[in-house]
Amino acid sequence: MNINAIVVTALGSLGLPVTPNINLTGDTEYITFNYMDERPTLIADDTDLYDTTVIQVHYFTKTNPQQKKKDLRRLLRAGGFVIHNTMEFYETDTALNHVVVDCSIDGVIND
């Protein structure tokens, strides 16, 4: 299961840069994501068949994040993710609003 492609596809309609781990575009509105946990959740005949992957999705913006936060959660759900929690911060060092969505997805192991 290629989580990177799933996240980028799920959030592509927002029209923002979506990149794993770090944003190098110089934009002040963007999305990054990182892996929190990845583990087998279905094992048969001593073989891992399914993984559950937990990620954090980070949305940064100078503007009010409320509508995009709702859109982000809706699109992640539509992409097959389960939302665990959402946090919102203001980062004084960057002057950006920062929304963090913890979510997970299950899928067939193909690596």
Side-chain angles (χ1 to χ4, degrees), residues 27-61:
D27 294 321
T28 58
E29 187 174 28
Y30 59 92
I31 297 169
T32 62
F33 60 95
N34 61 277
Y35 287 72
M36 290 179 58
D37 186 29
E38 187 174 26
R39 67 182 67 206
T41 51
L42 179 62
I43 301 169
D45 295 326
D46 297 323
T47 302
D48 301 342
L49 300 176
Y50 277 81
D51 269 346
T52 295
T53 302
V54 183
I55 64 169
Q56 286 185 323
V57 178
H58 304 266
Y59 167 57
F60 295 90
T61 184

PDB file of all heavy atoms in Angstrom, residues 27-61:
ATOM      1  N   ASP A  27       5.698  28.221  -0.153  1.00  0.00           N
ATOM      2  CA  ASP A  27       4.315  28.684   0.025  1.00  0.00           C
ATOM      3  C   ASP A  27       4.003  28.857   1.504  1.00  0.00           C
ATOM      4  O   ASP A  27       4.593  28.207   2.370  1.00  0.00           O
ATOM      5  CB  ASP A  27       3.335  27.667  -0.576  1.00  0.00           C
ATOM      6  CG  ASP A  27       3.449  27.555  -2.081  1.00  0.00           C
ATOM      7  OD1 ASP A  27       3.637  28.590  -2.738  1.00  0.00           O
ATOM      8  OD2 ASP A  27       3.358  26.424  -2.599  1.00  0.00           O
ATOM      9  N   THR A  28       3.034  29.735   1.802  1.00  0.00           N
ATOM     10  CA  THR A  28       2.598  29.911   3.191  1.00  0.00           C
ATOM     11  C   THR A  28       1.309  29.154   3.477  1.00  0.00           C
ATOM     12  O   THR A  28       0.815  29.190   4.599  1.00  0.00           O
ATOM     13  CB  THR A  28       2.401  31.396   3.537  1.00  0.00           C
ATOM     14  OG1 THR A  28       1.442  31.958   2.643  1.00  0.00           O
ATOM     15  CG2 THR A  28       3.717  32.150   3.459  1.00  0.00           C
ATOM     16  N   GLU A  29       0.762  28.492   2.468  1.00  0.00           N
ATOM     17  CA  GLU A  29      -0.388  27.604   2.663  1.00  0.00           C
ATOM     18  C   GLU A  29      -0.041  26.279   1.993  1.00  0.00           C
ATOM     19  O   GLU A  29       0.165  26.224   0.782  1.00  0.00           O
ATOM     20  CB  GLU A  29      -1.667  28.192   2.068  1.00  0.00           C
ATOM     21  CG  GLU A  29      -2.883  27.359   2.406  1.00  0.00           C
ATOM     22  CD  GLU A  29      -4.193  27.984   1.960  1.00  0.00           C
ATOM     23  OE1 GLU A  29      -4.195  28.749   0.964  1.00  0.00           O
ATOM     24  OE2 GLU A  29      -5.213  27.705   2.602  1.00  0.00           O
ATOM     25  N   TYR A  30       0.032  25.220   2.793  1.00  0.00           N
ATOM     26  CA  TYR A  30       0.471  23.932   2.276  1.00  0.00           C
ATOM     27  C   TYR A  30       0.098  22.811   3.242  1.00  0.00           C
ATOM     28  O   TYR A  30      -0.299  23.061   4.375  1.00  0.00           O
ATOM     29  CB  TYR A  30       1.984  23.927   2.021  1.00  0.00           C
ATOM     30  CG  TYR A  30       2.820  24.206   3.241  1.00  0.00           C
ATOM     31  CD1 TYR A  30       3.289  23.166   4.043  1.00  0.00           C
ATOM     32  CD2 TYR A  30       3.140  25.514   3.599  1.00  0.00           C
ATOM     33  CE1 TYR A  30       4.054  23.419   5.174  1.00  0.00           C
ATOM     34  CE2 TYR A  30       3.906  25.769   4.721  1.00  0.00           C
ATOM     35  CZ  TYR A  30       4.357  24.725   5.501  1.00  0.00           C
ATOM     36  OH  TYR A  30       5.112  24.984   6.610  1.00  0.00           O
ATOM     37  N   ILE A  31       0.272  21.579   2.764  1.00  0.00           N
ATOM     38  CA  ILE A  31      -0.012  20.382   3.558  1.00  0.00           C
ATOM     39  C   ILE A  31       1.215  19.480   3.524  1.00  0.00           C
ATOM     40  O   ILE A  31       1.789  19.251   2.451  1.00  0.00           O
ATOM     41  CB  ILE A  31      -1.236  19.626   2.998  1.00  0.00           C
ATOM     42  CG1 ILE A  31      -2.484  20.506   3.098  1.00  0.00           C
ATOM     43  CG2 ILE A  31      -1.435  18.291   3.726  1.00  0.00           C
ATOM     44  CD1 ILE A  31      -3.674  19.968   2.341  1.00  0.00           C
ATOM     45  N   THR A  32       1.598  18.984   4.686  1.00  0.00           N
ATOM     46  CA  THR A  32       2.612  17.949   4.770  1.00  0.00           C
ATOM     47  C   THR A  32       2.013  16.783   5.558  1.00  0.00           C
ATOM     48  O   THR A  32       0.992  16.932   6.226  1.00  0.00           O
ATOM     49  CB  THR A  32       3.903  18.425   5.469  1.00  0.00           C
ATOM     50  OG1 THR A  32       3.601  18.793   6.801  1.00  0.00           O
ATOM     51  CG2 THR A  32       4.536  19.583   4.726  1.00  0.00           C
ATOM     52  N   PHE A  33       2.651  15.630   5.481  1.00  0.00           N
ATOM     53  CA  PHE A  33       2.202  14.492   6.269  1.00  0.00           C
ATOM     54  C   PHE A  33       3.389  13.626   6.643  1.00  0.00           C
ATOM     55  O   PHE A  33       4.420  13.645   5.980  1.00  0.00           O
ATOM     56  CB  PHE A  33       1.132  13.674   5.528  1.00  0.00           C
ATOM     57  CG  PHE A  33       1.580  13.102   4.215  1.00  0.00           C
ATOM     58  CD1 PHE A  33       2.067  11.804   4.128  1.00  0.00           C
ATOM     59  CD2 PHE A  33       1.508  13.853   3.044  1.00  0.00           C
ATOM     60  CE1 PHE A  33       2.479  11.275   2.918  1.00  0.00           C
ATOM     61  CE2 PHE A  33       1.915  13.339   1.831  1.00  0.00           C
ATOM     62  CZ  PHE A  33       2.402  12.042   1.758  1.00  0.00           C
ATOM     63  N   ASN A  34       3.233  12.917   7.746  1.00  0.00           N
ATOM     64  CA  ASN A  34       4.295  12.019   8.208  1.00  0.00           C
ATOM     65  C   ASN A  34       3.679  10.754   8.802  1.00  0.00           C
ATOM     66  O   ASN A  34       2.550  10.762   9.278  1.00  0.00           O
ATOM     67  CB  ASN A  34       5.204  12.704   9.224  1.00  0.00           C
ATOM     68  CG  ASN A  34       4.462  13.137  10.461  1.00  0.00           C
ATOM     69  OD1 ASN A  34       3.854  14.211  10.458  1.00  0.00           O
ATOM     70  ND2 ASN A  34       4.486  12.333  11.514  1.00  0.00           N
ATOM     71  N   TYR A  35       4.454   9.682   8.751  1.00  0.00           N
ATOM     72  CA  TYR A  35       4.042   8.411   9.337  1.00  0.00           C
ATOM     73  C   TYR A  35       4.221   8.474  10.850  1.00  0.00           C
ATOM     74  O   TYR A  35       5.247   8.926  11.338  1.00  0.00           O
ATOM     75  CB  TYR A  35       4.898   7.261   8.794  1.00  0.00           C
ATOM     76  CG  TYR A  35       4.596   6.874   7.378  1.00  0.00           C
ATOM     77  CD1 TYR A  35       4.961   7.688   6.312  1.00  0.00           C
ATOM     78  CD2 TYR A  35       3.950   5.682   7.101  1.00  0.00           C
ATOM     79  CE1 TYR A  35       4.687   7.329   5.007  1.00  0.00           C
ATOM     80  CE2 TYR A  35       3.680   5.304   5.795  1.00  0.00           C
ATOM     81  CZ  TYR A  35       4.049   6.140   4.754  1.00  0.00           C
ATOM     82  OH  TYR A  35       3.786   5.786   3.469  1.00  0.00           O
ATOM     83  N   MET A  36       3.239   7.987  11.592  1.00  0.00           N
ATOM     84  CA  MET A  36       3.341   7.857  13.041  1.00  0.00           C
ATOM     85  C   MET A  36       3.582   6.405  13.432  1.00  0.00           C
ATOM     86  O   MET A  36       4.331   6.112  14.348  1.00  0.00           O
ATOM     87  CB  MET A  36       2.062   8.349  13.724  1.00  0.00           C
ATOM     88  CG  MET A  36       1.853   9.833  13.655  1.00  0.00           C
ATOM     89  SD  MET A  36       0.312  10.359  14.441  1.00  0.00           S
ATOM     90  CE  MET A  36       0.477   9.759  16.100  1.00  0.00           C
ATOM     91  N   ASP A  37       2.897   5.492  12.742  1.00  0.00           N
ATOM     92  CA  ASP A  37       2.990   4.076  13.083  1.00  0.00           C
ATOM     93  C   ASP A  37       2.531   3.258  11.887  1.00  0.00           C
ATOM     94  O   ASP A  37       1.598   3.646  11.179  1.00  0.00           O
ATOM     95  CB  ASP A  37       2.100   3.782  14.293  1.00  0.00           C
ATOM     96  CG  ASP A  37       2.253   2.366  14.817  1.00  0.00           C
ATOM     97  OD1 ASP A  37       3.337   1.785  14.673  1.00  0.00           O
ATOM     98  OD2 ASP A  37       1.275   1.843  15.385  1.00  0.00           O
ATOM     99  N   GLU A  38       3.184   2.146  11.672  1.00  0.00           N
ATOM    100  CA  GLU A  38       2.799   1.234  10.590  1.00  0.00           C
ATOM    101  C   GLU A  38       3.057  -0.172  11.106  1.00  0.00           C
ATOM    102  O   GLU A  38       4.192  -0.522  11.429  1.00  0.00           O
ATOM    103  CB  GLU A  38       3.637   1.531   9.357  1.00  0.00           C
ATOM    104  CG  GLU A  38       3.219   0.758   8.133  1.00  0.00           C
ATOM    105  CD  GLU A  38       3.992   1.199   6.907  1.00  0.00           C
ATOM    106  OE1 GLU A  38       5.123   1.699   7.023  1.00  0.00           O
ATOM    107  OE2 GLU A  38       3.449   1.038   5.809  1.00  0.00           O
ATOM    108  N   ARG A  39       1.975  -0.961  11.203  1.00  0.00           N
ATOM    109  CA  ARG A  39       2.148  -2.303  11.758  1.00  0.00           C
ATOM    110  C   ARG A  39       1.163  -3.284  11.143  1.00  0.00           C
ATOM    111  O   ARG A  39       0.072  -2.897  10.732  1.00  0.00           O
ATOM    112  CB  ARG A  39       2.009  -2.281  13.268  1.00  0.00           C
ATOM    113  CG  ARG A  39       0.626  -1.940  13.747  1.00  0.00           C
ATOM    114  CD  ARG A  39       0.517  -1.876  15.256  1.00  0.00           C
ATOM    115  NE  ARG A  39       1.278  -0.760  15.759  1.00  0.00           N
ATOM    116  CZ  ARG A  39       1.780  -0.711  16.978  1.00  0.00           C
ATOM    117  NH1 ARG A  39       1.603  -1.695  17.803  1.00  0.00           N
ATOM    118  NH2 ARG A  39       2.453   0.336  17.371  1.00  0.00           N
ATOM    119  N   PRO A  40       1.551  -4.555  11.110  1.00  0.00           N
ATOM    120  CA  PRO A  40       0.647  -5.581  10.601  1.00  0.00           C
ATOM    121  C   PRO A  40      -0.564  -5.727  11.522  1.00  0.00           C
ATOM    122  O   PRO A  40      -0.419  -5.694  12.742  1.00  0.00           O
ATOM    123  CB  PRO A  40       1.482  -6.856  10.623  1.00  0.00           C
ATOM    124  CG  PRO A  40       2.885  -6.441  10.840  1.00  0.00           C
ATOM    125  CD  PRO A  40       2.859  -5.096  11.473  1.00  0.00           C
ATOM    126  N   THR A  41      -1.733  -5.847  10.923  1.00  0.00           N
ATOM    127  CA  THR A  41      -2.945  -6.038  11.718  1.00  0.00           C
ATOM    128  C   THR A  41      -3.682  -7.322  11.348  1.00  0.00           C
ATOM    129  O   THR A  41      -4.610  -7.703  12.046  1.00  0.00           O
ATOM    130  CB  THR A  41      -3.903  -4.839  11.564  1.00  0.00           C
ATOM    131  OG1 THR A  41      -4.111  -4.573  10.187  1.00  0.00           O
ATOM    132  CG2 THR A  41      -3.335  -3.611  12.234  1.00  0.00           C
ATOM    133  N   LEU A  42      -3.285  -7.953  10.282  1.00  0.00           N
ATOM    134  CA  LEU A  42      -3.851  -9.254   9.920  1.00  0.00           C
ATOM    135  C   LEU A  42      -2.702 -10.158   9.490  1.00  0.00           C
ATOM    136  O   LEU A  42      -1.961  -9.844   8.553  1.00  0.00           O
ATOM    137  CB  LEU A  42      -4.874  -9.137   8.781  1.00  0.00           C
ATOM    138  CG  LEU A  42      -5.501 -10.453   8.318  1.00  0.00           C
ATOM    139  CD1 LEU A  42      -6.281 -11.130   9.440  1.00  0.00           C
ATOM    140  CD2 LEU A  42      -6.396 -10.221   7.113  1.00  0.00           C
ATOM    141  N   ILE A  43      -2.564 -11.255  10.217  1.00  0.00           N
ATOM    142  CA  ILE A  43      -1.484 -12.206   9.957  1.00  0.00           C
ATOM    143  C   ILE A  43      -2.117 -13.582   9.768  1.00  0.00           C
ATOM    144  O   ILE A  43      -2.967 -13.994  10.557  1.00  0.00           O
ATOM    145  CB  ILE A  43      -0.483 -12.236  11.125  1.00  0.00           C
ATOM    146  CG1 ILE A  43       0.104 -10.837  11.330  1.00  0.00           C
ATOM    147  CG2 ILE A  43       0.612 -13.268  10.883  1.00  0.00           C
ATOM    148  CD1 ILE A  43       0.893 -10.677  12.607  1.00  0.00           C
ATOM    149  N   ALA A  44      -1.722 -14.270   8.705  1.00  0.00           N
ATOM    150  CA  ALA A  44      -2.215 -15.623   8.450  1.00  0.00           C
ATOM    151  C   ALA A  44      -1.060 -16.480   7.939  1.00  0.00           C
ATOM    152  O   ALA A  44      -0.265 -16.016   7.124  1.00  0.00           O
ATOM    153  CB  ALA A  44      -3.357 -15.600   7.430  1.00  0.00           C
ATOM    154  N   ASP A  45      -0.994 -17.694   8.419  1.00  0.00           N
ATOM    155  CA  ASP A  45       0.077 -18.619   8.011  1.00  0.00           C
ATOM    156  C   ASP A  45       1.449 -17.983   8.141  1.00  0.00           C
ATOM    157  O   ASP A  45       2.287 -18.060   7.237  1.00  0.00           O
ATOM    158  CB  ASP A  45      -0.146 -19.122   6.578  1.00  0.00           C
ATOM    159  CG  ASP A  45      -1.409 -19.964   6.450  1.00  0.00           C
ATOM    160  OD1 ASP A  45      -1.743 -20.680   7.419  1.00  0.00           O
ATOM    161  OD2 ASP A  45      -2.053 -19.877   5.397  1.00  0.00           O
ATOM    162  N   ASP A  46       1.669 -17.292   9.262  1.00  0.00           N
ATOM    163  CA  ASP A  46       2.942 -16.641   9.559  1.00  0.00           C
ATOM    164  C   ASP A  46       3.331 -15.576   8.530  1.00  0.00           C
ATOM    165  O   ASP A  46       4.511 -15.293   8.323  1.00  0.00           O
ATOM    166  CB  ASP A  46       4.076 -17.664   9.691  1.00  0.00           C
ATOM    167  CG  ASP A  46       3.862 -18.616  10.848  1.00  0.00           C
ATOM    168  OD1 ASP A  46       3.351 -18.162  11.892  1.00  0.00           O
ATOM    169  OD2 ASP A  46       4.194 -19.802  10.713  1.00  0.00           O
ATOM    170  N   THR A  47       2.344 -14.974   7.878  1.00  0.00           N
ATOM    171  CA  THR A  47       2.592 -13.944   6.882  1.00  0.00           C
ATOM    172  C   THR A  47       1.737 -12.715   7.199  1.00  0.00           C
ATOM    173  O   THR A  47       0.542 -12.829   7.452  1.00  0.00           O
ATOM    174  CB  THR A  47       2.234 -14.449   5.463  1.00  0.00           C
ATOM    175  OG1 THR A  47       3.002 -15.614   5.204  1.00  0.00           O
ATOM    176  CG2 THR A  47       2.522 -13.396   4.416  1.00  0.00           C
ATOM    177  N   ASP A  48       2.366 -11.543   7.189  1.00  0.00           N
ATOM    178  CA  ASP A  48       1.622 -10.297   7.365  1.00  0.00           C
ATOM    179  C   ASP A  48       0.819 -10.009   6.096  1.00  0.00           C
ATOM    180  O   ASP A  48       1.389  -9.938   5.010  1.00  0.00           O
ATOM    181  CB  ASP A  48       2.579  -9.127   7.614  1.00  0.00           C
ATOM    182  CG  ASP A  48       3.450  -9.322   8.845  1.00  0.00           C
ATOM    183  OD1 ASP A  48       3.109 -10.160   9.682  1.00  0.00           O
ATOM    184  OD2 ASP A  48       4.473  -8.618   8.942  1.00  0.00           O
ATOM    185  N   LEU A  49      -0.495  -9.857   6.246  1.00  0.00           N
ATOM    186  CA  LEU A  49      -1.351  -9.624   5.082  1.00  0.00           C
ATOM    187  C   LEU A  49      -1.851  -8.183   4.987  1.00  0.00           C
ATOM    188  O   LEU A  49      -1.971  -7.636   3.893  1.00  0.00           O
ATOM    189  CB  LEU A  49      -2.549 -10.578   5.113  1.00  0.00           C
ATOM    190  CG  LEU A  49      -2.211 -12.071   5.090  1.00  0.00           C
ATOM    191  CD1 LEU A  49      -3.482 -12.893   5.223  1.00  0.00           C
ATOM    192  CD2 LEU A  49      -1.461 -12.433   3.832  1.00  0.00           C
ATOM    193  N   TYR A  50      -2.208  -7.591   6.124  1.00  0.00           N
ATOM    194  CA  TYR A  50      -2.739  -6.228   6.157  1.00  0.00           C
ATOM    195  C   TYR A  50      -1.948  -5.396   7.153  1.00  0.00           C
ATOM    196  O   TYR A  50      -1.552  -5.893   8.205  1.00  0.00           O
ATOM    197  CB  TYR A  50      -4.213  -6.209   6.577  1.00  0.00           C
ATOM    198  CG  TYR A  50      -5.174  -6.483   5.473  1.00  0.00           C
ATOM    199  CD1 TYR A  50      -5.442  -7.785   5.064  1.00  0.00           C
ATOM    200  CD2 TYR A  50      -5.836  -5.449   4.827  1.00  0.00           C
ATOM    201  CE1 TYR A  50      -6.333  -8.047   4.047  1.00  0.00           C
ATOM    202  CE2 TYR A  50      -6.736  -5.706   3.816  1.00  0.00           C
ATOM    203  CZ  TYR A  50      -6.974  -6.997   3.427  1.00  0.00           C
ATOM    204  OH  TYR A  50      -7.863  -7.250   2.417  1.00  0.00           O
ATOM    205  N   ASP A  51      -1.751  -4.134   6.805  1.00  0.00           N
ATOM    206  CA  ASP A  51      -1.156  -3.146   7.700  1.00  0.00           C
ATOM    207  C   ASP A  51      -2.210  -2.134   8.107  1.00  0.00           C
ATOM    208  O   ASP A  51      -3.121  -1.827   7.328  1.00  0.00           O
ATOM    209  CB  ASP A  51      -0.064  -2.341   6.979  1.00  0.00           C
ATOM    210  CG  ASP A  51       1.318  -2.931   7.119  1.00  0.00           C
ATOM    211  OD1 ASP A  51       1.522  -3.808   7.971  1.00  0.00           O
ATOM    212  OD2 ASP A  51       2.198  -2.486   6.360  1.00  0.00           O
ATOM    213  N   THR A  52      -2.034  -1.585   9.298  1.00  0.00           N
ATOM    214  CA  THR A  52      -2.702  -0.352   9.672  1.00  0.00           C
ATOM    215  C   THR A  52      -1.615   0.708   9.736  1.00  0.00           C
ATOM    216  O   THR A  52      -0.608   0.523  10.414  1.00  0.00           O
ATOM    217  CB  THR A  52      -3.419  -0.465  11.022  1.00  0.00           C
ATOM    218  OG1 THR A  52      -4.470  -1.419  10.908  1.00  0.00           O
ATOM    219  CG2 THR A  52      -4.002   0.877  11.448  1.00  0.00           C
ATOM    220  N   THR A  53      -1.805   1.775   9.004  1.00  0.00           N
ATOM    221  CA  THR A  53      -0.837   2.862   8.971  1.00  0.00           C
ATOM    222  C   THR A  53      -1.490   4.103   9.558  1.00  0.00           C
ATOM    223  O   THR A  53      -2.568   4.511   9.133  1.00  0.00           O
ATOM    224  CB  THR A  53      -0.380   3.148   7.529  1.00  0.00           C
ATOM    225  OG1 THR A  53       0.172   1.941   6.986  1.00  0.00           O
ATOM    226  CG2 THR A  53       0.657   4.248   7.486  1.00  0.00           C
ATOM    227  N   VAL A  54      -0.833   4.685  10.559  1.00  0.00           N
ATOM    228  CA  VAL A  54      -1.307   5.904  11.211  1.00  0.00           C
ATOM    229  C   VAL A  54      -0.407   7.044  10.746  1.00  0.00           C
ATOM    230  O   VAL A  54       0.820   6.928  10.785  1.00  0.00           O
ATOM    231  CB  VAL A  54      -1.263   5.780  12.745  1.00  0.00           C
ATOM    232  CG1 VAL A  54      -1.826   7.039  13.404  1.00  0.00           C
ATOM    233  CG2 VAL A  54      -2.015   4.541  13.213  1.00  0.00           C
ATOM    234  N   ILE A  55      -1.030   8.119  10.303  1.00  0.00           N
ATOM    235  CA  ILE A  55      -0.269   9.279   9.836  1.00  0.00           C
ATOM    236  C   ILE A  55      -0.769  10.542  10.513  1.00  0.00           C
ATOM    237  O   ILE A  55      -1.869  10.570  11.074  1.00  0.00           O
ATOM    238  CB  ILE A  55      -0.336   9.458   8.300  1.00  0.00           C
ATOM    239  CG1 ILE A  55      -1.771   9.760   7.846  1.00  0.00           C
ATOM    240  CG2 ILE A  55       0.224   8.250   7.582  1.00  0.00           C
ATOM    241  CD1 ILE A  55      -1.877  10.199   6.395  1.00  0.00           C
ATOM    242  N   GLN A  56       0.049  11.571  10.453  1.00  0.00           N
ATOM    243  CA  GLN A  56      -0.364  12.916  10.818  1.00  0.00           C
ATOM    244  C   GLN A  56      -0.355  13.753   9.555  1.00  0.00           C
ATOM    245  O   GLN A  56       0.626  13.729   8.800  1.00  0.00           O
ATOM    246  CB  GLN A  56       0.601  13.555  11.810  1.00  0.00           C
ATOM    247  CG  GLN A  56       0.500  13.032  13.201  1.00  0.00           C
ATOM    248  CD  GLN A  56       1.401  13.816  14.141  1.00  0.00           C
ATOM    249  OE1 GLN A  56       2.501  14.212  13.776  1.00  0.00           O
ATOM    250  NE2 GLN A  56       0.929  14.034  15.348  1.00  0.00           N
ATOM    251  N   VAL A  57      -1.442  14.478   9.344  1.00  0.00           N
ATOM    252  CA  VAL A  57      -1.534  15.407   8.216  1.00  0.00           C
ATOM    253  C   VAL A  57      -1.496  16.814   8.806  1.00  0.00           C
ATOM    254  O   VAL A  57      -2.251  17.129   9.734  1.00  0.00           O
ATOM    255  CB  VAL A  57      -2.828  15.181   7.407  1.00  0.00           C
ATOM    256  CG1 VAL A  57      -2.927  16.187   6.280  1.00  0.00           C
ATOM    257  CG2 VAL A  57      -2.881  13.757   6.883  1.00  0.00           C
ATOM    258  N   HIS A  58      -0.605  17.657   8.289  1.00  0.00           N
ATOM    259  CA  HIS A  58      -0.399  19.009   8.803  1.00  0.00           C
ATOM    260  C   HIS A  58      -0.817  20.012   7.740  1.00  0.00           C
ATOM    261  O   HIS A  58      -0.305  19.966   6.619  1.00  0.00           O
ATOM    262  CB  HIS A  58       1.077  19.238   9.137  1.00  0.00           C
ATOM    263  CG  HIS A  58       1.626  18.246  10.106  1.00  0.00           C
ATOM    264  ND1 HIS A  58       1.664  18.483  11.448  1.00  0.00           N
ATOM    265  CD2 HIS A  58       2.148  17.009   9.916  1.00  0.00           C
ATOM    266  CE1 HIS A  58       2.198  17.432  12.059  1.00  0.00           C
ATOM    267  NE2 HIS A  58       2.501  16.529  11.137  1.00  0.00           N
ATOM    268  N   TYR A  59      -1.728  20.909   8.117  1.00  0.00           N
ATOM    269  CA  TYR A  59      -2.161  21.980   7.224  1.00  0.00           C
ATOM    270  C   TYR A  59      -1.685  23.297   7.819  1.00  0.00           C
ATOM    271  O   TYR A  59      -1.962  23.595   8.987  1.00  0.00           O
ATOM    272  CB  TYR A  59      -3.676  21.962   7.074  1.00  0.00           C
ATOM    273  CG  TYR A  59      -4.261  23.192   6.441  1.00  0.00           C
ATOM    274  CD1 TYR A  59      -3.851  23.615   5.181  1.00  0.00           C
ATOM    275  CD2 TYR A  59      -5.231  23.947   7.089  1.00  0.00           C
ATOM    276  CE1 TYR A  59      -4.376  24.750   4.599  1.00  0.00           C
ATOM    277  CE2 TYR A  59      -5.769  25.074   6.520  1.00  0.00           C
ATOM    278  CZ  TYR A  59      -5.339  25.485   5.271  1.00  0.00           C
ATOM    279  OH  TYR A  59      -5.859  26.612   4.703  1.00  0.00           O
ATOM    280  N   PHE A  60      -0.963  24.090   7.030  1.00  0.00           N
ATOM    281  CA  PHE A  60      -0.437  25.380   7.471  1.00  0.00           C
ATOM    282  C   PHE A  60      -1.046  26.490   6.623  1.00  0.00           C
ATOM    283  O   PHE A  60      -1.156  26.354   5.398  1.00  0.00           O
ATOM    284  CB  PHE A  60       1.085  25.420   7.299  1.00  0.00           C
ATOM    285  CG  PHE A  60       1.824  24.451   8.179  1.00  0.00           C
ATOM    286  CD1 PHE A  60       2.094  23.164   7.729  1.00  0.00           C
ATOM    287  CD2 PHE A  60       2.249  24.819   9.441  1.00  0.00           C
ATOM    288  CE1 PHE A  60       2.787  22.263   8.528  1.00  0.00           C
ATOM    289  CE2 PHE A  60       2.934  23.919  10.244  1.00  0.00           C
ATOM    290  CZ  PHE A  60       3.205  22.647   9.792  1.00  0.00           C
ATOM    291  N   THR A  61      -1.413  27.601   7.274  1.00  0.00           N
ATOM    292  CA  THR A  61      -1.981  28.740   6.551  1.00  0.00           C
ATOM    293  C   THR A  61      -1.861  30.014   7.385  1.00  0.00           C
ATOM    294  O   THR A  61      -1.845  29.953   8.616  1.00  0.00           O
ATOM    295  CB  THR A  61      -3.457  28.495   6.191  1.00  0.00           C
ATOM    296  OG1 THR A  61      -3.937  29.588   5.405  1.00  0.00           O
ATOM    297  CG2 THR A  61      -4.329  28.332   7.415  1.00  0.00           C
TER     298      THR A  61
END
